[in-house]
């Protein structure tokens, strides 16, 4: 029978305790999933706070869904091209910039394009956590 060793996450350094590694990855997934653009579940609240029409918020949410779907087509190329550290740095920086743009923009096309880009990086970071 094949012997299996203890579970390990190889992309983390050895000084991180083994019991803490899984919780760090789960925290990263939660942070990445709760950041990025517009959420369709809170359309009515966003319409009031951003002073935009409901259709504009829905369009930005649908652009987010398209961005998430597009990530599946290029994921393996990205996964094998960049290291985990580089992926987290790229995705984290891009998500921070996209969140800042989404908070401060008044232009609908800029909001839609930013939500599209933010969800590409959000799904890339989530897949990297997996």
């Amino acid at each position: 029978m094949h012997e299996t060793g203890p579970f390990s996450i190889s992309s983390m350094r050895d000084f991180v305790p083994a019991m803490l590694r899984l919780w760090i990855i789960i925290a990263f997934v939660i942070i990445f999933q709760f950041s990025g653009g517009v959420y369709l579940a809170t359309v009515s609240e966003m319409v009031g706070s951003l002073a935009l029409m409901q259709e504009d918020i829905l369009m930005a949410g649908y652009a987010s869904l398209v961005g998430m779907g597009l990530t599946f087509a290029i994921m393996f190329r990205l996964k094998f091209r960049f290291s985990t550290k580089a992926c987290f740095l790229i995705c984290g920086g891009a998500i921070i910039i996209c969140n800042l743009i989404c908070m401060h923009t008044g232009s609908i096309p800029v909001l839609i394009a930013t939500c599209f880009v933010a969800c590409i990086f959000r799904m890339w970071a989530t897949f990297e956590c997996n």
Side-chain angles (χ1 to χ4, degrees):
M1 195 91 209
H2 182 275
E3 269 189 54
T4 59
F7 175 74
S8 68
I9 298 173
S10 61
S11 61
M12 288 197 182
R13 304 283 180 162
D14 291 333
F15 64 84
V16 178
M19 296 300 290
L20 192 60
R21 292 179 186 184
L22 178 64
W23 295 109
I24 291 172
I25 295 295
I26 290 172
F28 279 172
V29 169
I30 290 171
I31 289 168
F32 284 130
Q33 284 300 308
F34 285 133
S35 62
V38 172
Y39 296 105
L40 291 176
T42 60
V43 170
S44 59
E45 288 85 8
M46 295 187 95
V47 166
S49 66
L50 295 177
L52 299 172
M53 292 179 20
Q54 183 174 356
E55 289 82 9
D56 299 333
I57 301 295
L58 285 173
M59 185 64 186
Y62 294 149
S64 300
L65 292 174
V66 171
M68 280 192 260
L70 182 67
T71 310
F72 288 102
I74 58 173
M75 183 47 51
F76 283 113
R77 291 185 179 135
L78 294 173
K79 181 83 174 154
F80 295 124
R81 172 66 177 93
F82 298 103
S83 67
T84 301
K85 182 178 179 180
C87 289
F88 282 156
L89 290 174
I90 292 168
C91 293
I95 289 172
I96 289 170
I97 291 169
C98 289
N99 283 338
L100 290 172
I101 292 172
C102 285
M103 284 190 289
H104 297 293
T105 189
S107 172
I108 303 301
V110 171
L111 180 68
I112 291 170
T114 305
C115 288
F116 176 76
V117 171
C119 281
I120 289 175
F121 285 106
R122 187 170 103 186
M123 287 308 292
W124 181 14
T126 302
F127 282 141
E128 192 61 39
C129 289
N130 288 338

